[in-house]
Amino acid sequence: MKPRVLVVDDEPGVRKALRRGLTAEGMDVVTATDGPTALRLAQTGAFDVLLLDIMLPGLSGYRVLQALRAQEVATPVLLISAKDGEIDQADGLDLGADGYLVKPFSFVVLVAQVRAVLRRAAVQGARGQLRIGALVVDRAAREVRWRDEPVPLSPREFALLEVLASRAGTVVTKDELLRAVWGDEQAATRNVVEVYVGYVRRKLDAVGAGAFVRTVRGHGYVAGEFELEHVTSG
């Protein structure tokens, strides 16, 4: 699956440039324009890395980072700022940032830093919880709960729901699910994906979460119960 990146910046030009550039580098990019939206999205644990501007409407990047680390959300965070002082950078790193980029920055350097934190996260095997609305996917324990009620899933069903939840709000195609869950597009068929999505939906429906996984006709499936206000995906 493509690395999923949340880009948070209140400057439209910066968001557009980063979304276009990172998408061209093979990443799945979601953008947000303010601190509260960034915090709400990042709390899900559904992103592989955050590019977080410090000066944001509603809640500063520092406060967003502080709240995430207080909630033990371990998603790597690269802070972006026009401030180049040593104290500013030290403050960000002390709060739990994984890197600090000063505007204007080189896109080549930014991509290198993003790939570096992705490699570190892969080596560390960081697999925390995904929280999308009332759904919790505990990737370490391989358990799913909806409003604290367990959802019993087979290993294959869990893998499918994990992929959808990790990309909540983004359409995931059947071919992408084949590669991620079955390991090879030739190992199963698209009909098998449909069958397993049906299994997962029935089990979610049994606990009142039947609408969590939706079909986007002609494209694939999307998971989530929240609306992505002030958010765009590219």
Side-chain angles (χ1 to χ4, degrees):
M1 300 296 289
K2 296 179 181 179
R4 198 166 193 230
V5 182
L6 176 61
V7 173
V8 188
D9 200 297
D10 62 342
E11 296 181 36
V14 173
R15 291 196 306 276
K16 182 178 180 180
L18 290 179
R19 181 174 60 195
R20 183 174 60 242
L22 292 172
T23 299
E25 291 290 330
M27 301 182 193
D28 183 11
V29 182
V30 172
T31 64
T33 63
D34 59 73
T37 302
L39 179 59
R40 177 169 58 87
L41 289 171
Q43 283 172 332
T44 67
F47 295 92
D48 297 299
V49 62
L50 272 63
L51 298 182
L52 182 63
D53 190 25
I54 291 177
M55 302 300 292
L56 293 170
L59 199 66
S60 74
Y62 283 144
R63 300 287 77 81
V64 172
L65 175 59
Q66 188 176 41
L68 291 175
R69 295 305 186 241
Q71 296 168 26
E72 298 185 350
V73 177
T75 305
V77 174
L78 296 177
L79 289 175
I80 300 172
S81 176
K83 298 181 178 181
D84 60 358
E86 292 181 355
I87 293 177
D88 296 307
Q89 296 184 41
D91 286 345
L93 295 172
D94 284 345
L95 286 172
D98 298 84
Y100 191 107
L101 288 158
V102 178
K103 294 180 179 179
F105 49 80
S106 161
F107 181 73
V108 173
V109 172
L110 179 141
V111 171
Q113 289 212 26
V114 169
R115 294 198 184 284
V117 296
L118 289 172
R119 285 195 299 271
R120 288 200 295 270
V123 170
Q124 293 166 1
R127 292 176 60 80
Q129 292 185 347
L130 294 168
R131 295 178 179 272
I132 297 89
L135 186 86
V136 176
V137 179
D138 189 329
R139 293 183 287 189
R142 301 189 69 77
E143 296 176 345
V144 175
R145 298 187 301 279
W146 174 265
R147 303 191 193 284
D148 292 328
E149 185 171 351
V151 182
L153 298 174
S154 72
R156 190 81 72 180
E157 292 164 354
F158 178 90
L160 187 145
L161 183 59
E162 179 187 10
V163 172
L164 291 171
S166 70
R167 296 182 62 187
T170 299
V171 176
V172 183
T173 68
K174 292 177 183 178
D175 287 341
E176 288 175 324
L177 287 170
L178 279 173
R179 288 192 295 270
V181 178
W182 281 266
D184 186 341
E185 291 181 44
Q186 306 303 317
T189 67
R190 293 182 179 184
N191 288 339
V192 171
V193 175
E194 293 177 9
V195 169
Y196 271 82
V197 169
Y199 292 160
V200 170
R201 277 178 169 153
R202 283 195 287 275
K203 291 185 176 181
L204 289 173
D205 190 52
V207 296
F212 185 80
V213 177
R214 302 186 299 278
T215 299
V216 181
R217 292 195 179 278
H219 296 281
Y221 305 96
V222 62
E225 62 169 0
F226 56 82
E227 295 296 328
L228 296 182
E229 299 175 357
H230 310 299
V231 179
T232 59
S233 56

